[in-house]
């Protein structure tokens, strides 16, 4: 079956004032839709048809630019929409909170490290919170649409929180003020979903 653009669980304007409706609409209905269509075209008639996106990315031939870029774009954005929520669902707690504190000392230091990874990613890319088997967490960033599931990517593990720092994700509202966009992101994180992903991946 072909991959389908996932429906958002909230309206395009639901994340305002942190992320504006016009950006969300373009980002989802144009950019993510483009990655979805291009991924389907790239795998059509190949042995990748019918495989899960996680299987495709984990066993990716990194020289296959079409699948690398569009498969990454499809997966990354699917995660991105799910780890945000307008209602501020949940607070960081439980095993994930303990894992973050074990790695970074406290939440504020984690936020500093994550924000720095997002702010200093040169050009386009993503910042990630990943979990390794056993539960250890790690922050990293990747260029373009690469992500930690792909072979040879710097931090590895399973991504459970991701922030898109491509300019299309924030430029209409924040222009060149990427740090302001990063700060705003922390107001819309769906920690219940991040914790669910942590428990599943560890």
């Amino acid at each position: 079956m072909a991959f389908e653009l996932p429906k958002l669980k909230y309206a395009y304007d639901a994340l305002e004032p942190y992320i504006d409706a016009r950006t969300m609409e373009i980002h989802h209905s144009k950019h993510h839709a483009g990655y979805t269509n291009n991924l389907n075209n790239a795998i059509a008639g190949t042995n990748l048809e019918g495989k899960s996106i996680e299987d495709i990315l984990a066993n990716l031939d990194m020289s296959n630019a079409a699948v690398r870029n569009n498969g990454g774009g499809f997966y990354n954005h699917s995660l991105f929409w799910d780890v945000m929520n307008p209602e501020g669902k949940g607070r960081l707690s439980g095993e994930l909170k303990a894992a973050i504190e074990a790695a970074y000392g406290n939440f504020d230091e984690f936020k500093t490290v994550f924000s720095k990874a997002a702010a200093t990613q040169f050009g386009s890319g993503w910042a990630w919170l990943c979990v390794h088997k056993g539960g250890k967490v790690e922050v990293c960033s990747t260029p373009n649409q690469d992500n930690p599931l792909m072979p040879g990517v710097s931090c590895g593990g399973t991504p459970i929180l991701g922030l898109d720092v491509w300019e299309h994700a924030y430029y209409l509202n924040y222009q060149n003020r990427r740090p302001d966009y990063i700060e705003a992101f922390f107001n819309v994180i769906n920690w219940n979903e991040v914790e669910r992903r942590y428990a599943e991946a560890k």
Side-chain angles (χ1 to χ4, degrees):
M1 286 184 60
F3 290 104
E4 295 183 357
L5 178 68
K7 294 181 179 179
L8 294 187
K9 299 174 182 176
Y10 42 83
Y12 286 138
D13 64 356
L15 302 180
E16 291 189 338
Y18 305 108
I19 303 177
D20 63 285
R22 184 63 174 148
T23 294
M24 286 294 298
E25 181 180 3
I26 295 170
H27 201 171
H28 177 257
S29 70
K30 303 299 184 186
H31 290 280
H32 196 183
Y35 291 123
T36 305
N37 293 335
N38 290 335
L39 171 61
N40 286 327
N41 290 337
I43 65 174
T46 75
N47 61 359
L48 299 178
E49 275 192 304
K51 294 186 177 181
S52 71
I53 188 61
E54 292 83 1
D55 189 22
I56 290 172
L57 297 182
N59 298 287
L60 183 63
D61 173 1
M62 295 291 274
S63 67
N64 186 337
V67 175
R68 179 180 181 175
N69 294 333
N70 294 294
F74 174 81
Y75 176 91
N76 297 351
H77 287 88
S78 298
L79 181 149
F80 185 51
W81 311 133
D82 279 355
V83 297
M84 294 190 293
N85 186 276
E87 300 167 10
K89 285 193 173 178
R91 294 182 178 275
L92 181 62
S93 61
E95 291 186 343
L96 176 57
K97 183 173 186 284
I100 285 176
E101 290 177 347
Y104 298 103
N106 55 57
F107 177 79
D108 287 342
E109 183 60 24
F110 155 71
K111 182 179 176 182
T112 297
V113 172
F114 185 91
S115 297
K116 182 178 180 181
T120 59
Q121 172 57 47
F122 182 76
S124 302
W126 292 75
W128 303 102
L129 175 64
C130 305
V131 57
H132 297 273
K133 292 297 183 184
K136 182 181 178 182
V137 295
E138 180 181 6
V139 167
C140 70
S141 63
T142 56
N144 302 316
Q145 295 296 351
D146 287 358
N147 69 47
L149 296 179
M150 295 176 177
V153 171
S154 59
C155 66
T158 301
I160 58 173
L161 178 68
L163 174 58
D164 188 347
V165 294
W166 284 60
E167 285 189 342
H168 67 236
Y170 62 89
Y171 204 82
L172 289 181
N173 199 26
Y174 294 97
Q175 289 81 52
N176 64 331
R177 305 190 310 277
R178 186 190 287 187
D180 292 350
Y181 161 70
I182 296 166
E183 179 66 29
F185 174 68
F186 278 88
N187 291 285
V188 294
I189 294 175
N190 181 352
W191 286 111
N192 287 352
E193 175 64 18
V194 181
E195 289 187 30
R196 185 194 69 76
R197 289 172 179 266
Y198 174 80
E200 187 178 86
K202 74 183 181 67

